[in-house]
Amino acid sequence: MLKCVWCEKKAAEEIKAPVYWELPSGLRAIEIQQTPSLQCGACSMLYQLDETVEKIEDQLLLINTDLVPNQITFTELMEIPRLLKRNYFRF
C-alpha cells in the first residue's frame, strides 16, 4: 500500500482507471481508459500522480488532437506520433 496524498494514510493502491480530459483547444473532452491511477481504500479518492498528468498534458500538446477519438487507452494515446519531440515550454 502507498501513502494517499489526500488523507495521508497508507491505503492507496495502483490501479488502471478511466479519466476524462479536456483537449488543449477546449473544443471537446476525451475518455482515456486504463490510465495509471491511485485509489485510496481509506478516503476513496481516485487520482493520478503528477507525473502521469504531465505525460498526458504533454502528449496532448504535441500531437494532432483532431485524430484522437473520443475514447482511447492511455497506452494508445502515448503511442501517437508527436509533431514535436518535447514540450519546449516546460522548463
Side-chain angles (χ1 to χ4, degrees):
M1 291 286 185
L2 302 168
K3 184 177 178 182
C4 175
V5 299
W6 295 94
C7 70
E8 299 186 349
K9 294 183 180 171
K10 275 200 159 196
E13 63 179 318
E14 293 180 25
I15 65 166
K16 304 270 186 194
V19 297
Y20 300 89
W21 222 271
E22 184 177 338
L23 297 180
S25 66
L27 296 176
R28 67 185 175 107
I30 60 170
E31 178 182 352
I32 306 170
Q33 301 170 340
Q34 300 174 17
T35 303
S37 304
L38 293 173
Q39 185 160 32
C40 180
C43 70
S44 300
M45 185 59 73
L46 174 65
Y47 60 96
Q48 292 71 47
L49 294 174
D50 290 342
E51 176 184 304
T52 302
V53 170
E54 190 174 294
K55 282 182 183 180
I56 292 170
E57 289 179 350
D58 282 351
Q59 185 69 353
L60 290 173
L61 280 172
L62 300 172
I63 63 173
N64 181 354
T65 57
D66 292 339
L67 305 176
V68 178
N70 290 335
Q71 280 187 340
I72 191 167
T73 67
F74 178 81
T75 302
E76 291 169 339
L77 178 64
M78 293 300 127
E79 290 175 350
I80 295 175
R82 293 178 169 194
L83 301 172
L84 295 171
K85 291 182 183 178
R86 60 184 286 262
N87 180 355
Y88 293 98
F89 296 104
R90 192 173 302 282
F91 302 107

